Amino acid sequence: MAVFGNLMMVFSAASAEIIPLDKLFSYYRFDNNFLDQRTANNASGTNVAFQTSPKRAGTHSAKFDSLNPSTSYVTIPYSADFDFGNGTTDRAFSISFWIYPTAENSLNFFINKREQAYNAEFQISYDSTDGYRFLIANDERSTGGALRILTAFNTAAYTINTWQMVTATYDGNLGVNIYVNEAATTSVVNTNSFTIIKTYPQDITIGLAGWTKLSSGLSYKGNMDCLGFWNAELTPEQIGLMYQKGLNNLELI
């Protein structure tokens, strides 16, 4: 038992060193509040409840509870912290979170930065045709331009009533990935020669499509926990360590 305990201590110390917590700039525990545990990017919820079960870590998770139409979502107000491009170059970033779906909609939107019909920046979603997808965009349709997108797909199963960790990563230079638990990206598609993100001063919406808040078929039904935004491209090894922490009901911070 002593040897096993020492091994666990070594694993825990290695995890703390390898997961780049200094790059975690925004983190939402959803422990009965919408507070950002890292900076001042506090969120607000509309018809979102907190539940002690199911939860992935901490004391609660956030419950998104309507589908057609959806009136259940969380908003993170605009902050330049979430602008991952400056018009010339992009910076690496990652988004990680746990989901516990309780039903499947036609399009299940987890997180997106897109408040208008146009002006898409990034989206993470699931649908039965393409699976999980993470896209980043250069969307100039509002001024008569084109929509250029870079999309990573993952065909992992969307498992109802089961916790799954989703992690989207971007290296700042055309490298996108979406992981489900520890399973890596299935394919990547570049549409209309995407090169860099075009940013807009708009909020982030969690739980449904931000550009059509009362539309049917564009929302997520289930629970979410441990939402993190990172100023780095997380590696498969780091994602694996985060996944193991979550399985053991441990918070990142």
Side-chain angles (χ1 to χ4, degrees):
M1 291 298 291
V3 173
F4 178 76
N6 288 337
L7 287 173
M8 288 299 290
M9 289 176 65
V10 170
F11 175 80
S12 178
S15 299
E17 291 175 7
I18 294 173
I19 298 174
L21 295 179
D22 60 319
K23 301 297 185 181
L24 180 63
F25 72 88
S26 240
Y27 185 62
Y28 302 87
R29 288 177 173 162
F30 297 131
D31 280 351
N32 213 29
N33 61 61
F34 299 106
L35 299 179
D36 182 355
Q37 303 296 319
R38 302 297 273 184
T39 53
N41 294 312
N42 295 330
S44 61
T46 300
N47 297 325
V48 174
F50 296 105
Q51 290 188 314
T52 58
S53 180
K55 65 178 185 296
R56 181 69 283 176
T59 62
H60 295 76
S61 66
K63 179 184 179 183
F64 300 82
D65 197 30
S66 57
L67 283 181
N68 296 308
S70 177
T71 56
S72 181
Y73 58 92
V74 169
T75 300
I76 302 176
Y78 170 71
S79 166
D81 290 345
F82 302 104
D83 287 343
F84 299 114
N86 60 17
T88 303
T89 59
D90 291 341
R91 59 186 173 94
F93 74 96
S94 301
I95 304 172
S96 61
F97 54 98
W98 287 82
I99 58 169
Y100 185 96
T102 55
E104 182 178 336
N105 207 350
S106 56
L107 288 170
N108 305 269
F109 279 86
F110 309 125
I111 299 172
N112 55 96
K113 190 180 180 195
R114 178 184 173 189
E115 286 190 293
Q116 307 298 326
Y118 303 140
N119 298 353
E121 289 184 49
F122 58 79
Q123 298 174 193
I124 306 173
S125 62
Y126 173 86
D127 68 82
S128 59
T129 301
D130 294 318
Y132 293 85
R133 67 169 77 188
F134 166 50
L135 71 82
I136 54 177
N138 185 304
D139 191 350
E140 298 183 324
R141 290 175 295 171
S142 61
T143 56
L147 171 63
R148 301 174 178 86
I149 57 176
L150 185 64
T151 310
F153 298 92
N154 192 312
T155 56
Y158 191 68
T159 308
I160 302 301
N161 296 329
T162 301
W163 282 109
Q164 298 137 81
M165 189 178 83
V166 180
T167 309
T169 72
Y170 176 47
D171 68 358
N173 188 29
L174 302 183
V176 290
N177 281 285
I178 183 165
Y179 300 81
V180 180
N181 296 333
E182 298 176 280
T185 297
T186 306
S187 61
V188 176
V189 176
N190 190 325
T191 305
N192 290 336
S193 301
F194 171 91
T195 55
I196 58 172
I197 299 171
K198 184 175 179 62
T199 62
Y200 296 92
Q202 53 189 346
D203 299 342
I204 292 173
T205 304
I206 303 166
L208 80 164
W211 62 97
T212 175
K213 282 190 166 68
L214 294 177
S215 176
S216 63
L218 296 174
S219 58
Y220 164 64
K221 184 176 177 66
N223 293 61
M224 184 180 291
D225 211 350
C226 309
L227 169 62
F229 293 84
W230 308 73
N231 278 320
E233 178 195 17
L234 295 172
T235 68
E237 293 77 15
Q238 292 163 348
I239 291 166
L241 288 170
M242 291 165 53
Y243 178 61
Q244 293 303 319
K245 285 177 73 74
L247 289 182
N248 288 285
N249 306 113
L250 298 174
E251 289 278 12
L252 287 173
I253 57 172

